[in-house]
Amino acid sequence: MQIKKASFKQSASSIFGCPKTNMQEYAFIGRSNVGKSSLINMLCNNNKLAKTSATPGKTQLINHFLINEHWFLVDLPGYGFAKTGKDQKVKIETIIFDYCKKRDQLVCLFILIDSRLELQKIDLEFMLWCGENEIPFSIIYTKADKNSKSQLEKNIKQIESEILKHWEDLPNSFISSSEKKTGKEEILDFIDFNIKAQNSLKA
Ligand code: GTP
Ligand code: MG
């Protein structure tokens, strides 16, 4: 699939402010600074679409981007930003948890994981929370350009072995680099497959 048109629709501080449409949504979540907004820009071929920053905590709201006039990519705030005050942390967690749990339009949640690091406690905790709440997810390993191929493979193997301590099967996963535009086709094809599957369910 190709993204022919992408535009910012709106920001919301809770699910009540999200677009009142039945269009399908594909959302990106993960630790602050993992590369969620950059990935959206890479997929849409527009570096100015979602706001990115080297400083964690840039995205604070639920941001909807309308794609090809008929579905949304959703940029969520990151979890686990240590410098956020307690009140702000609770506020962001409420936004994230509410969106993931209650947004009926959400078809696929992509959890982004930094491919340079071992599995972080907070990522595992979020995955376990998704499991408890029956929210299916896929993984996108980010910043693949920052590793050698062998280091990347080693890190991912290690993360997968941690995941397998809690699940019988591995979730769907993708390797990406927004810098080098890696993973674009695979992620968009996966979304396309899901869009068609959802449409045929409704037909
Ligand atoms: P928050 O909105 O703060 O939660 O962060 P985010 O997850 O949206 O991250 P963002 O896309 O703003 O990227 C954070 C930093 O990582 C920026 O400096 C990006 O340029 C950098 N970055 C993101 N993706 C990649 C990548 O694939 N490769 C490299 N080398 N840097 C990346
Ligand atoms: Mg962001």
Side-chain angles (χ1 to χ4, degrees), residues 6-12 17-21 23 25 49 62-67 69 71-73:
S7 57
F8 170 70
K9 173 81 175 168
Q10 66 194 69
S11 292
C18 289
K20 305 214 171 2
T21 72
M23 292 187 204
E25 298 184 5
L49 193 62
I62 305 170
N63 293 306
H64 278 74
F65 298 93
L66 181 61
I67 310 297
E69 307 281 8
W71 55 280
F72 286 110
L73 276 176

Side-chain angles (χ1 to χ4, degrees), residues 15-200:
I15 53 166
F16 300 108
C18 289
K20 305 214 171 2
T21 72
N22 288 326
M23 292 187 204
Q24 296 177 36
E25 298 184 5
Y26 295 82
F28 297 95
I29 187 77
R31 281 187 312 120
S32 275
N33 214 243
V34 71
K36 302 174 290 296
S37 305
S38 303
L39 183 69
I40 288 185
N41 290 345
M42 186 270 269
L43 295 176
C44 297
N45 248 330
N46 179 351
N47 275 340
K48 296 207 174 104
L49 193 62
K51 292 197 178 89
T52 65
S53 169
T55 313
K58 179 69 180 170
T59 311
Q60 303 258 334
L61 298 166
I62 305 170
N63 293 306
H64 278 74
F65 298 93
L66 181 61
I67 310 297
N68 294 347
E69 307 281 8
H70 77 276
W71 55 280
F72 286 110
L73 276 176
V74 182
D75 193 11
L76 294 168
Y79 51 70
F81 177 36
K83 281 195 188 144
T84 312
K86 195 168 171 239
D87 287 355
Q88 183 62 7
K89 193 167 166 263
V90 171
K91 210 167 126 189
I92 285 188
E93 282 174 2
T94 307
I95 294 177
I96 295 170
F97 291 160
D98 263 12
Y99 175 85
C100 296
K101 231 161 107 167
K102 300 181 186 161
R103 185 74 174 157
D104 292 336
Q105 292 87 334
L106 176 64
V107 178
C108 271
L109 183 65
F110 293 95
I111 301 180
L112 275 59
I113 295 200
D114 193 325
S115 67
R116 296 170 302 174
L117 310 173
E118 56 189 48
L119 184 61
Q120 303 290 291
K121 189 165 167 264
I122 196 160
D123 290 324
L124 178 61
E125 281 170 358
F126 186 75
M127 286 185 218
L128 291 169
W129 178 84
C130 286
E132 279 160 24
N133 288 282
E134 298 179 0
I135 300 166
F137 60 87
S138 296
I139 291 177
I140 300 180
Y141 295 102
T142 64
K143 307 192 183 183
D145 57 284
K146 292 209 170 190
N147 282 312
S148 67
K149 195 167 176 275
S150 60
Q151 189 62 45
L152 181 69
E153 278 169 12
K154 193 172 156 219
N155 289 358
I156 291 177
K157 264 212 177 98
Q158 225 161 37
I159 293 172
E160 287 180 344
S161 73
E162 283 302 313
I163 292 175
L164 286 171
K165 289 182 187 164
H166 302 271
W167 278 271
E168 277 178 27
D169 300 308
L170 287 170
N172 240 316
S173 70
F174 304 89
I175 296 172
S176 80
S177 159
S178 298
E179 200 75 18
K180 297 254 187 285
K181 301 196 184 300
T182 319
K184 183 176 183 174
E185 212 179 307
E186 291 84 354
I187 295 167
L188 288 180
D189 283 351
F190 178 74
I191 292 176
D192 190 39
F193 173 84
N194 279 279
I195 290 175
K196 287 177 179 148
Q198 290 288 315
N199 286 342
S200 71

